[in-house]
Every structure is written in structure tokens, then in C-alpha cells.
Amino acid sequence: MGQQVQRLGAYAVVVRGDRILLTRLAERVTKQELWTLPGGGVDHGEDPRAAVVREIYEETGLRAEVGETAHVFSMHLSDTWRRGRRVDAHSVRIVYDGWVAADAPDPRVVEIDGSTADAAWQPIGAVLDGSLPTVGLVTEALAELRPQQRQRVAAYAYVERDGALLLTRNSALGPHPGVWTLPGGGIDHGESPADTVLRELHEECGLEGELGELLTVDDHHFTGTAPIGRREDFHAIRIVYRASVPADAEPRVVEVDGTTDAVAWVPLTEVATDAARFSSLVRAAITAAGGR
């Protein structure tokens, strides 16, 4: 039996849509193409969460965040080779749910002469069907991955004028980039839904509004990427009020680098003929208002 060697490592599963962030092991580690999760050994005295954030940057050049909980995987190889010698190896791997910003650049290896030769977003399907060669930890971690559950209560304005509806477009930081929806957003702690609508009308449209009656309460459940880049099992509760704005007011986006990148008056006929460009909230609000 070789010398007993135990190693503690910290890693992260970082998923974006149907792809996962992986790193390819350098030739000095293996002569074969082999991909693994970003991460590595925890230094003495280092917090594992800090270690995985450091390792992700060194191996991919990306600034990542990780969740508070993790899964622990253990692998014991009683007769293997490490750095040219035969050892009895025991690896304990802590794997976190991780994420990077939705607008993060392409990954690139920062560390020189390390154990990583490449970094890339790889198709999850290729990992699961075995067409992409990976270490066992990748499929083990994917099997345990669950999106973060999040419920959000938000309030919106239904503003109709001359056969057109005031709508805002989701930016790349929004849950559905390029999709048009009603002006509005999340209710801050302690804030009334009515105040939320008026605040969001100003931030997203540059308009001072006046609220009318409660129009409808709608909900939407889906799994997607949050503005911070984290994969979430998202449940939205959406409160919609009728509202009005000054007749001569022209909308403009006030909030910079937010989840809205455009605002416009969109004819209701356009919504009816091109439903794919508009959120389910828009269609639900039109129906509640008596439209089709």
C-alpha cells in the first residue's frame, strides 16, 4: 500500500441555460481530454467558499458567487498515482451551486502552468450522454443540482392610450431578454404595491403616474436565469393596477444598467398579432382589461 494522502477540494456547478462551465485538465495531469468542474484544493486556513471563488477566477477568469449550501462527495482510490508516486488517495470534494453575471465575458484560463488547460461553456447534453469526456464528479454533481427556489411579489401598471399600451423591454439582465412587459417590478420590504408602481413608472419610463383600480393578480412559474446569473426555480406573483400618465408625456428609461433597456407605446393590434414578443403578463392584463 502506498502512502496515505487526503485532499480537500472545493468546486462549483455553474449552469447557464443548457450549458455548464467546465475546465479541461492539463496534459501534465492526464494525457487524455478530460473536463471537470472549476475548483481545486482548499489551502490551509482557507474557507472552502473563498477557495472555490478563487479557483474559478484562476481557471476561467470569471468572477463568481456561490451559495450557502453544498453537497459533499468522497472518492477513495487505495492504489493510484499522484505526482509520480503510488499512493492510497482519499479525496473529499465540496461542491457548491455557483453562478456568474449574465453578461460575463467568455471564460479564459488565468493561471499559468497550472492544472487547467482550457475553460468553456459545454453542452449539458454532451456531458450526460458521454460524448464529452468528464471526470465522474461532473455527472455526480449534476444529478444533485437543484435550482434555487425563489418567490417574488411585484406590482405593475396597465397604461393604455389611443389604442396603444405602455410597455418596457427586458434587458440582457432581465429574466427574458428582448421580451416586452408592463412597467413595474419587485415590491421592496415595507413598500406598498401602489408606491412600487409609481416608483417603477419613474425609473423605467421617466413618467409620473396616477393609479386607478386594481386590475388583476397573476402568477407565473418557470425555471430560468436570474439577473445576477443564478439559475432559479422562480415563482412570480404579479399585481396589476390601471394607471394613467400625462397626455403629452414621452417615455424614456431613467434607470441605468437595470433590467429595462427600452420603453415604448405599442399598439394593441401588434401585441395580438405577434404574441411571442410579449410576456404572459401583458396578455393576462389585456384580457383582464376586457381585451382579447
Side-chain angles (χ1 to χ4, degrees):
M1 180 183 294
Q3 178 184 357
Q4 291 184 341
V5 176
Q6 190 176 67
R7 179 178 184 269
L8 175 65
Y11 301 84
V13 180
V14 183
V15 169
R16 176 184 289 174
D18 61 354
R19 293 182 176 266
I20 181 172
L21 182 64
L22 297 178
T23 61
R24 182 165 62 85
L25 294 173
E27 187 175 347
R28 70 179 183 82
V29 179
T30 175
K31 300 297 183 183
Q32 301 176 336
E33 178 188 1
L34 199 59
W35 294 80
T36 187
L37 299 176
V42 179
D43 293 338
H44 181 78
E46 186 178 32
D47 184 277
R49 295 180 74 251
V52 73
V53 169
R54 170 182 56 76
E55 288 281 352
I56 290 174
Y57 177 74
E58 292 174 358
E59 295 180 347
T60 72
L62 300 179
R63 304 289 183 181
E65 295 183 66
V66 295
E68 296 292 335
T69 59
H71 289 88
V72 178
F73 300 88
S74 176
M75 182 178 69
H76 182 207
L77 299 174
S78 60
D79 188 8
T80 188
W81 291 87
R82 292 286 188 274
R83 299 182 179 180
R85 60 176 178 164
R86 178 168 284 173
V87 297
D88 177 357
H90 180 210
S91 297
V92 178
R93 289 86 57 90
I94 306 172
V95 181
Y96 294 90
D97 164 34
W99 62 95
V100 298
D103 58 351
D106 291 335
R108 60 181 179 85
V109 180
V110 174
E111 186 180 36
I112 299 174
D113 297 329
S115 60
T116 300
D118 195 10
W121 293 100
Q122 297 286 7
I124 293 176
V127 173
L128 298 179
D129 68 17
S131 58
L132 183 76
T134 65
V135 301
L137 180 63
V138 178
T139 51
E140 287 182 281
L142 275 173
E144 298 295 335
L145 181 65
R146 301 291 183 273
Q148 177 74 16
Q149 289 188 338
R150 183 179 175 221
Q151 190 176 67
R152 178 177 182 260
V153 182
Y156 297 85
Y158 182 92
V159 186
E160 184 180 342
R161 187 173 74 184
D162 300 327
L165 199 58
L166 182 65
L167 298 178
T168 61
R169 188 176 66 188
N170 283 332
S171 71
L173 299 178
H176 302 291
V179 172
W180 290 83
T181 189
L182 299 179
I187 300 171
D188 291 339
H189 182 79
E191 184 179 40
S192 74
D195 287 343
T196 299
V197 174
L198 297 178
R199 172 177 57 77
E200 292 283 352
L201 270 173
H202 173 72
E203 292 175 358
E204 296 185 343
C205 307
L207 300 177
E208 301 300 323
E210 184 174 332
L211 287 194
E213 64 181 352
L214 175 67
L215 181 62
T216 188
V217 178
D218 174 72
D219 84 302
H220 184 43
H221 183 203
F222 65 96
T223 297
T225 302
I228 62 171
R230 190 176 197 178
R231 186 167 175 261
E232 292 183 341
D233 176 0
F234 191 79
H235 184 209
I237 308 296
R238 307 179 295 193
I239 304 168
V240 184
Y241 291 88
R242 287 187 183 271
S244 60
V245 297
D248 58 348
E250 288 301 323
R252 61 183 179 86
V253 179
V254 174
E255 187 179 37
V256 178
D257 296 329
T259 56
T260 296
D261 63 9
V263 58
W265 291 100
V266 179
L268 287 167
T269 54
E270 188 174 327
V271 178
T273 57
D274 190 9
R277 291 175 51 217
F278 304 95
S279 73
S280 61
L281 176 63
V282 173
R283 299 190 294 276
I286 291 173
T287 300
R292 295 181 179 178

